[in-house]
Amino acid sequence: MKRAYTNGILLDGTEQMQPVAHKILLTEDDKITAIADEGVDLDGYEVIDLHGSYIMPGLVNLHVHLAGNGKPSAKPRDNAALVRKILSNGLTRAVAYRLVCSYAKLELLGGVTTIRTVGGIADFDTRCRDDAAAGRLLAPRILAANEGISVPGGHMAGSVAVAAHNNAEALAQLRKASGQKVDLVKLMITGGVLDATEKGTPGELKMKPEMVKAVCAEAHRLGYTVAAHTESPEGVKVALENGVDSIEHGAKMDDETVRLYKERGAFLCTTISPALPYALFDTAISGASEKDQYNGKIVFDGVVESAKTALANGIPVGLGNDVGCPYITQYDFWRELCYFHKYCGVSNRFALYTATLRNAQLAGAGDVTGSIEPGKSADFIVTKHDPLKDLRALQHLELVVCRGHVVKKPNPKRNKTVDALLDPYLA
């Protein structure tokens, strides 16, 4: 199928992107074939008139958990017990897999055309990836890690990560993941906000440095990059010293940490969204304990300061929103761009660039997607208003195109209660 997208204003996704009018975007099947001048012969093309709307690359979300929908719970959930129940028989596995696929579709309807999963249930993420690539379901391009590797009592152990008691078990899980043909490996090196047992101890180091080193060495030998959940200065240093390729979340940095990032050639995946509710919501709304709010503020400040320091020192920064955490839904990645602009002080242009071409490059998919140029995948979104002027233009989309598949007037079902709670933090 050959399509011509006319009367659009083009934002190409590059760092210096400027609105360009009077161009026609030509695609054939799943590829962009040309950016042509008005007046070109469109015989044989399906013409889609954009009526002056803005066309830009699809968003790339670097930190996704497809097993969750972000709906907050009134009381703590035993996620490990829930996963055991899900995997206990074929029927519950099938139902859970369909839910995962529906959450992936929500990502797409929210304008995200590529996701990088960093912890999931069993092999659901790679299955979803392959079904989407084969056209059996509507979903973004997926770079999948499947289950992460944690330790007993570690972050997400038993739910979207496997608890390894020793190096041999960690390496066995890595071999299992390799057999599932994952795209990357995920380690849970530190704790987080909700699994901190004491006030002032979020991001407590859980995984021994020698386990980090052993997994990274073998993963690199097998050709995988390693992403690591780290929410403390100590955890970040342990991760970088032992071979991790990306720090997920981050923490405040000193000069030694900056040096380690640069020596390792690692990047930071900033995730402002998940800590914000715990740090800034009134506890009467969030239901967080004083401990959780205090620890949430530590993590929130650490993530923001980490991003600022990285940007100031030339350390690559990508964006993810840790979707699946409470209040972080599968359709609202656009909020992470707004937070990046508001709390880290970057321009709207830089936020858009980060969430498109830069993220694609950091994920290892920059030659496939992330910008609008001939030869790349036909992955783009259309907004009525200019996102360079207001990133909230990304909330309401006119069109989503992923690998050439067109979704007109995407309208994901929204959680109005959650949206109302989060909207004030965009101002």
Side-chain angles (χ1 to χ4, degrees):
M1 170 69 73
K2 296 168 72 174
R3 294 190 175 96
Y5 297 85
T6 65
N7 296 321
I9 301 173
L10 179 66
L11 299 171
D12 64 9
T14 59
E15 188 171 1
Q16 303 302 325
M17 73 181 92
Q18 296 288 342
V20 177
H22 308 298
K23 296 290 184 180
I24 298 175
L25 180 63
L26 301 178
T27 68
E28 183 169 358
D29 298 328
D30 63 342
K31 291 287 191 297
I32 297 170
T33 55
I35 299 171
D37 293 326
E38 289 180 339
V40 67
D41 182 10
L42 298 180
D43 185 44
Y45 284 86
E46 176 191 352
V47 177
I48 297 178
D49 190 336
L50 300 181
H51 301 288
S53 294
Y54 292 78
I55 184 168
M56 62 173 284
L59 303 177
V60 179
N61 190 345
L62 290 185
H63 196 110
V64 172
H65 299 285
L66 281 177
N69 62 9
K71 184 178 180 180
S73 175
K75 57 183 180 179
R77 286 176 290 204
D78 187 340
N79 289 320
L82 178 59
V83 170
R84 286 195 300 271
K85 184 175 182 180
I86 286 170
L87 299 179
S88 64
N89 64 76
L91 177 60
T92 52
R93 290 179 71 102
V95 171
Y97 179 64
R98 285 198 294 271
L99 274 176
V100 163
C101 293
S102 72
Y103 295 157
K105 180 180 178 180
L106 276 178
E107 286 281 334
L108 183 66
L109 297 180
V112 175
T113 55
T114 299
I115 62 173
R116 173 176 174 260
T117 72
V118 284
I121 298 175
D123 64 345
F124 289 2
D125 292 356
T126 48
R127 285 176 57 194
C128 186
R129 174 198 66 193
D130 296 344
D131 283 345
R136 291 188 288 269
L137 60 89
L138 184 61
R141 174 181 295 97
I142 299 173
L143 304 170
N146 285 347
E147 297 166 302
I149 300 174
S150 189
V151 295
H155 192 63
M156 305 307 289
S159 57
V160 297
V162 172
H165 292 78
N166 50 51
N167 288 10
E169 289 187 4
L171 293 173
Q173 178 59 29
L174 173 59
R175 288 192 294 273
K176 179 181 177 181
S178 181
Q180 295 166 343
K181 300 188 184 303
V182 297
D183 300 293
L184 70 152
V185 174
K186 174 68 179 298
L187 295 181
M188 307 293 189
I189 292 178
T190 76
V193 173
L194 297 183
D195 50 24
T197 57
E198 297 178 10
K199 188 176 177 180
T201 61
E204 181 181 2
L205 185 65
K206 300 285 188 178
M207 185 175 285
K208 293 181 179 178
E210 52 265 33
M211 183 180 286
V212 179
K213 185 174 183 177
V215 173
C216 286
E218 181 63 7
H220 292 156
R221 188 186 73 79
L222 294 172
Y224 299 115
T225 58
V226 181
H229 169 100
T230 41
E231 292 188 349
S232 67
E234 179 188 18
V236 172
K237 288 180 181 179
V238 166
L240 295 172
E241 287 169 344
N242 290 283
V244 160
D245 300 289
S246 70
I247 298 296
E248 309 294 309
H249 313 300
K252 292 182 180 181
M253 298 188 209
D254 58 18
D255 290 343
E256 181 186 2
T257 308
V258 170
R259 177 183 61 79
L260 286 170
Y261 265 105
K262 292 185 174 182
E263 286 183 357
R264 178 72 197 96
F267 74 87
L268 170 67
C269 180
T270 292
T271 58
I272 300 171
S273 294
L276 187 148
Y278 292 99
L280 303 184
F281 278 16
D282 188 313
T283 55
I285 295 173
S286 68
S289 66
E290 181 189 0
K291 169 184 69 71
D292 289 343
Q293 186 178 56
Y294 186 88
N295 289 337
K297 189 69 164 62
I298 291 174
V299 170
F300 179 80
D301 290 344
V303 168
V304 170
E305 288 303 313
S306 177
K308 288 180 176 179
T309 304
L311 292 169
N313 286 275
I315 296 167
V317 175
L319 288 180
N321 68 340
D322 206 359
V323 63
C325 287
Y327 302 98
I328 314 305
T329 66
Q330 296 283 358
Y331 58 77
D332 67 354
F333 179 56
W334 62 273
R335 292 183 188 275
E336 188 70 26
L337 283 71
C338 296
Y339 298 152
F340 194 42
H341 165 70
K342 178 176 180 177
Y343 295 106
C344 297
V346 303
S347 66
N348 288 352
R349 178 177 286 103
F350 190 82
L352 289 170
Y353 157 68
T354 301
T356 54
L357 181 57
R358 190 54 163 155
N359 270 2
Q361 293 169 335
L362 294 174
D367 58 336
V368 175
T369 190
S371 60
I372 294 182
E373 58 183 296
K376 286 201 172 179
S377 181
D379 301 336
F380 43 87
I381 58 178
V382 175
T383 65
K384 186 174 182 179
H385 301 291
D386 185 357
L388 289 177
K389 293 181 178 178
D390 188 345
L391 292 168
R392 286 174 290 188
L394 299 171
Q395 183 178 11
H396 302 290
L397 302 175
E398 301 293 304
L399 199 71
V400 173
V401 179
C402 182
R403 288 184 280 212
H405 185 92
V406 179
V407 181
K408 297 180 180 180
K409 295 290 184 181
N411 186 28
K413 185 177 180 180
R414 301 177 186 275
N415 186 317
K416 294 181 180 179
T417 301
V418 169
D419 288 354
L421 290 171
L422 291 173
D423 283 349
Y425 298 94
L426 301 175

